[in-house]
Amino acid sequence: MFAEEEAALLLDAAPDAPELERLVRLRVAGEPLEHLLGWAEFAGLRIAVGPGVFVPRRRSELLVRLALERLEHRAYDPGRPVAVLDLCCGSGALGAGVAAGLTLAGWLPREFELHAADLDPVAAGFARRNLAPFGGHVSIGDLFAPLPAGLRGRADVILANAPYVPSGAVPLMPPEARDHEPLTALDGGADGLGLHRRIAAATGEWLAPGGALIIEVSRGQVGAALGFLGAVGHRGTVEEDEDLDALAIVAA
């Protein structure tokens, strides 16, 4: 974002000169713009965020688009609600983006279940706020552990923007991220794929027949990701969006 655009947003956010001065001072010190505004633009929505919460990246809009494409081909069954799960949900941006997309496409208010989970209570609080308009349910806990048992075997799409930065690379990230976003939302372990392996190993129990797991990784992690997905019986397809500089894997 250009400085002129940032300045305009801060001007709009500040009710008076002292508040504007405070916001500018914090921004110059490295506070993420989105934390100061209280929202991040994502998939045509304003996603509520704040200090201590991961800011959704525009590149992750690819996961939303891929989820909507999968759901377009899911035959409507009045006896089985469409079910979407947003793992490592952070602010709930992915789930909100999918729900908003289904609404625009005329799918809602058909029967629809939106579930999200995150280990961080602060993130879960923001996710509840962002998913409330869509009737979303947010659980606090480790990956699938806190989810309702009744969701097992019924998820049409599982979205997982789990942290995938290798531990050794976290100190090299921009200060807006490394100093102001929770480490648990950034650090993916030695090779960045620790959580992805755990998600892949358990996903089969939660997907509905014909369902898909959609994960975000870096280009250098594709080979490893396809390898461990294949090892647990999933066939992965690599999807890219050059405009967003984004890469995702759809595994079924």
Side-chain angles (χ1 to χ4, degrees):
M1 184 173 292
F2 294 106
E4 293 84 357
E5 294 174 322
E6 288 202 17
L9 289 169
L10 291 174
L11 282 167
D12 287 342
D16 51 43
E19 176 64 6
L20 177 60
E21 182 179 352
R22 186 186 74 85
L23 293 177
V24 170
R25 184 170 61 252
L26 290 172
R27 183 68 186 113
V28 171
E31 188 86 12
L33 174 68
E34 294 84 359
H35 285 177
L36 298 177
L37 299 176
W39 56 270
E41 183 180 353
F42 183 84
L45 302 172
R46 283 193 173 187
I47 299 296
V49 295
V53 175
F54 180 80
V55 176
R57 307 324 195 227
R58 293 291 299 276
R59 62 176 174 267
S60 300
E61 292 178 5
L62 173 60
L63 279 70
V64 171
R65 191 182 78 219
L66 293 171
L68 291 171
E69 289 173 358
R70 294 285 305 195
L71 293 173
E72 281 179 7
H73 301 291
R74 195 269 217 191
Y76 176 57
D77 180 353
R80 186 170 77 84
V82 173
V84 173
L85 170 58
D86 182 358
L87 276 183
C88 303
C89 68
S91 62
L94 295 181
V98 171
L102 290 175
T103 301
L104 287 174
W107 272 71
L108 302 185
R110 297 179 185 180
E111 290 189 62
F112 172 66
E113 286 186 33
L114 174 57
H115 293 268
D118 199 285
L119 194 63
D120 183 359
V122 176
F126 279 95
R128 289 193 178 101
R129 178 176 170 185
N130 289 313
L131 300 183
F134 308 105
H137 306 276
V138 180
S139 303
I140 301 175
D142 184 32
L143 299 182
F144 297 95
L147 295 171
L151 181 62
R152 192 182 299 268
R154 295 197 302 108
D156 293 288
V157 169
I158 297 176
L159 297 157
N161 186 17
Y164 58 89
V165 179
S167 300
V170 172
L172 306 177
M173 297 185 71
E176 285 89 347
R178 69 171 187 261
D179 295 339
H180 296 280
E181 293 179 319
L183 184 62
T184 53
L186 304 174
D187 191 340
D191 68 349
L193 296 172
L195 281 175
H196 294 73
R197 289 185 177 86
R198 293 179 55 207
I199 291 169
T203 288
E205 300 177 25
W206 294 86
L207 282 177
L213 166 67
I214 305 176
I215 60 174
E216 182 176 312
V217 297
S218 71
R219 286 177 175 79
Q221 295 168 325
V222 168
L226 291 176
F228 63 68
L229 285 165
V232 293
H234 297 298
R235 179 178 177 273
T237 302
V238 179
E239 302 285 350
E240 296 189 61
D241 186 314
E242 292 184 1
D243 292 335
L244 293 174
D245 191 25
L247 185 146
I249 296 176
V250 180

